[in-house]
Each structure stands twice: as C-alpha cells, then as structure tokens.
Amino acid sequence: MRLGRPIKALPQPLCDYCSAHATLVKYGEASYPYREDHGALWVCTACQAWIGIHSRSTRNVPLGRLADGALRDAKSRLHDTLEPLVAGKVRRDRVNPFEARAKAIRWVAGELGFEPVSASIHNLSLDQCEQAIRHVEAFIARRGAASSEGNV
Ligand SMILES: [Zn+2]
C-alpha cells in the first residue's frame, strides 16, 4: 500500500473537562452521539462532551469549546431566551436569523464584559450562559414593562 500525502495537522481541540484530546467522529461511527446526522463532531467520550465543526471548514475547525450535557442544555436555553430579540431584529433590520443571533450574542457578551467578546454561543462557558440568560430575561422584562406604558 502506498502512502498518500501527509495529512494536514488538524486543530485538535482539548476537552475542557478532562483536558484529553477530543476525537473527530462522523455520523454512523460507534461513538457518534446522535441518531441523526449533525455533521462531524469533536467528541470526548469519557465526558460525553462534544462540539460541531464549521460547516464550510475543510480542516474540521471546531465551532467552540466542547460542551457536556449541562452546557448543551444551557446553550439551548440561552438560544430560546434570545429568540424574541432575534425575531424582532429580523423583522426590523431585515437581516437573516443567523446574523441576528450572532449580533444578539455579541451584544450580551459585551454587556456582561465577557472576554473575548464572541458572537458565537459555542464559546460561552456554563456560567456565562447562565449569566446571559438572566441578563436577557431581565432585559426583556424591562422592555415589556416599558412597552406596556407605551414607551416603545
Ligand atoms: Zn473530557
């Protein structure tokens, strides 16, 4: 068997929980965590933590940090909490939801002084997600109170 060209070194991410190197797993492989195809994932099997890759990336660049069950849950709650703001921005500014979502994440990361300010939910830690959820909920509550007084 002939050897092909050397394989380009991958940006192999570390697991945030145990510091082990994550493994790139594709749909259909034994340690793939989903029943449906969500694209290739960097997985730490021991921690049941994973993260997807940029869809247009040819080098399997991870979308952010590996997320365990608690962080995946927090990201999904933050995502849901942001949706009213995202929908409003899509209507007002006629941007697509991805752009609106990225702007919303960047806004909340800036408001809360996260370093570095990222526009991706996948870079946030569990604690940052929880802070962001509380911040956005309070913002929506204040805005709701203002609009019922006819100030918007
Ligand atoms: Zn791990």
Side-chain angles (χ1 to χ4, degrees):
M1 183 181 121
R2 286 195 323 152
L3 291 173
R5 284 179 301 152
I7 295 166
K8 246 191 297 187
L10 295 173
Q12 188 180 23
L14 298 177
C15 174
D16 265 348
Y17 308 98
C18 71
S19 303
H21 283 285
T23 314
L24 190 66
V25 179
K26 300 208 162 87
Y27 176 60
E29 293 177 6
S31 46
Y32 197 80
Y34 295 113
R35 299 170 75 96
E36 320 82 46
D37 191 356
H38 290 259
L41 303 169
W42 287 104
V43 175
C44 175
T45 309
C47 300
Q48 280 299 291
W50 56 82
I51 188 68
I53 61 171
H54 287 280
S55 55
R56 285 185 298 274
S57 170
T58 53
R59 297 185 61 235
N60 304 312
V61 174
L63 289 169
R65 64 174 79 213
L66 268 72
D68 66 1
L71 180 52
R72 287 193 299 275
D73 175 64
K75 286 197 294 190
S76 129
R77 282 185 287 116
L78 174 56
H79 184 279
D80 292 348
T81 307
L82 283 168
E83 278 314 282
L85 301 185
V86 169
K89 190 152 189 64
V90 167
R91 271 199 310 275
R92 265 193 328 274
D93 303 346
R94 300 179 182 279
V95 292
N96 70 55
F98 295 99
E99 205 178 317
R101 216 167 275 132
K103 288 202 163 114
I105 301 281
R106 192 186 295 279
W107 164 74
V108 72
E111 290 266 307
L112 294 171
F114 295 163
E115 290 290 340
V117 173
S118 165
S120 171
I121 201 168
H122 301 297
N123 289 325
L124 301 181
S125 67
L126 179 58
D127 183 52
Q128 288 175 328
C129 281
E130 300 289 359
Q131 281 184 53
I133 291 166
R134 285 195 299 273
H135 187 79
V136 174
E137 281 175 350
F139 175 83
I140 290 173
R142 280 199 308 277
R143 201 180 60 163
S147 75
S148 65
E149 290 159 18
N151 290 340
V152 169

